C-alpha cells in the first residue's frame, strides 16, 4: 500500500537510518518507491522552476561540462543536458540512478551512483556548470560544511555553481529532513576559490511564508 504522506514516510526513514550515514536513508526511500510503498516527495516530473527560470534569464547554453548533484529522478539533469552541456549526474542511491536511466532511456546524461562526501577524484575541479538543488539540505546540519565544500570542489576554473535550497534563519531549529540552509551556510560556498555573484530569497509558491535560496557562484 502506498503511503498517504510521502513527506512523513521520508522523515521516518531519515530518523531510522542514521547508522547508514547522513544520506543512507535515500536508498531505502527509493527502494520503497520502486516497490510502490511510497512516492519520492521531490519527484516533480519536471526540472526545478528556479533552475529553469535562472537558465532562461541568463540564456544558459553549452558547450561545456555540467554536473548535477543528487540527481534523483533525473529531471534537472535532462534539462541541463538539453541546453547543450555534456552532463554527468550522480545520486547516493543506486536505485535512484537505475530509475532515472529507465525513465530516460535515450538520455545522453552520464548517470552514476556516488557519495557527495566521497567523490571520485577525476570529478574534482572538473565542471563548467554545477547544479546543487536541495541536496546539502537533505543531510543533518553537522554534515553541511563538508557537503558544501564537496560541492564547491566540483567547479572548474571559470565555471559557475547554482545553489537552490530551502532557507531558515539562524535562530530557527533544524529538525529535518530537510535541514534548510542559513545565510551563513550559503555564504560558505564562497569560502574557497568561488566568489558569490548572486544570492536571493524566493518565496515558495505553495507556502509564501517559506523561502528558498537561489545563489550563484563563479570560480
Amino acid at each position: 500500500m502506498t503511503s498517504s504522506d510521502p513527506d512523513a514516510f521520508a522523515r521516518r526513514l531519515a530518523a531510522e537510518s542514521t547508522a547508514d550515514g547522513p544520506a543512507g536513508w535515500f536508498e531505502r526511500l527509493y527502494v520503497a518507491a520502486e516497490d510502490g510503498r511510497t512516492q519520492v516527495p521531490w519527484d516533480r516530473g519536471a526540472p526545478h522552476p528556479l533552475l529553469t527560470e535562472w537558465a532562461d534569464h541568463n540564456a544558459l547554453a553549452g558547450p561545456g561540462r555540467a554536473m548535477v548533484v543528487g540527481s534523483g529522478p533525473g529531471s534537472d539533469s535532462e534539462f541541463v543536458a538539453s541546453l547543450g552541456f555534456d552532463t554527468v549526474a550522480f545520486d547516493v542511491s543506486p536505485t535512484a540512478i537505475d530509475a532515472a536511466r529507465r525513465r530516460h532511456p535515450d538520455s545522453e546524461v552520464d548517470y552514476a551512483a556516488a557519495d557527495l562526501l566521497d567523490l571520485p577524484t577525476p570529478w574534482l575541479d572538473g565542471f563548467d556548470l554545477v547544479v546543487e538543488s536541495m541536496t546539502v539540505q537533505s543531510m543533518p546540519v553537522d554534515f553541511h560544511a563538508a557537503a558544501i565544500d564537496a560541492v564547491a570542489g566540483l567547479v572548474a576554473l571559470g565555471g559557475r555553481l547554482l545553489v537552490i535550497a530551502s532557507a531558515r534563519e539562524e535562530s530557527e531549529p533544524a529538525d529535518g529532513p530537510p535541514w534548510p540552509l542559513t545565510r551563513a551556510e550559503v555564504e560558505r560556498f564562497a569560502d574557497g576559490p568561488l566568489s558569490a555573484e548572486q544570492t536571493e530569497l524566493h518565496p515558495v509558491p505553495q507556502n509564501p511564508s517559506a523561502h528558498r535560496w537561489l545563489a550563484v557562484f563563479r570560480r
Side-chain angles (χ1 to χ4, degrees):
M1 179 179 296
T2 301
S3 170
S4 60
D5 187 348
D7 290 308
F9 187 90
R11 288 193 293 270
R12 179 169 64 80
L13 280 185
E16 293 173 352
S17 301
T18 53
D20 299 332
W25 62 277
F26 279 107
E27 175 64 5
R28 295 181 62 194
L29 174 65
Y30 279 102
V31 168
E34 288 290 294
D35 292 345
R37 289 180 284 127
T38 191
Q39 297 174 339
V40 177
W42 49 85
D43 186 359
R44 301 174 300 273
H48 197 288
L50 288 179
L51 168 60
T52 58
E53 290 170 14
W54 178 75
D56 290 346
H57 180 75
N58 290 276
L60 186 66
R65 296 187 74 212
M67 169 64 82
V68 177
V69 177
S71 52
S75 297
D76 289 350
S77 311
E78 296 300 320
F79 174 73
V80 170
S82 75
L83 300 177
F85 288 93
D86 181 9
T87 304
V88 180
F90 76 91
D91 199 283
V92 72
S93 165
T95 299
I97 292 300
D98 289 343
R101 288 171 177 158
R102 288 196 305 273
R103 182 177 294 192
H104 311 285
D106 300 320
S107 176
E108 295 183 357
V109 176
D110 180 8
Y111 287 103
D115 184 345
L116 177 59
L117 301 182
D118 188 20
L119 292 172
T121 300
W123 288 357
L124 304 184
D125 308 320
F127 297 91
D128 305 295
L129 172 66
V130 176
V131 176
E132 149 47 4
S133 178
M134 309 293 210
T135 302
V136 173
Q137 70 175 48
S138 70
M139 300 181 186
V141 172
D142 287 349
F143 294 91
H144 281 189
I148 288 168
D149 293 349
V151 170
L154 292 166
V155 184
L157 185 64
R160 282 186 292 181
L161 163 65
L162 171 67
V163 175
I164 299 169
S166 299
R168 69 178 174 91
E169 299 290 343
E170 295 284 353
S171 58
E172 286 184 62
D175 54 356
W179 292 268
L181 305 191
T182 64
R183 179 175 290 276
E185 288 177 318
V186 172
E187 291 174 348
R188 184 185 173 91
F189 284 98
D191 275 2
L194 304 185
S195 299
E197 286 192 336
Q198 177 182 350
T199 304
E200 300 174 352
L201 280 172
H202 292 254
V204 177
Q206 303 88 339
N207 182 8
S209 64
H211 290 79
R212 290 197 175 118
W213 295 109
L214 186 152
V216 181
F217 304 86
R218 185 179 290 275
R219 179 174 177 184

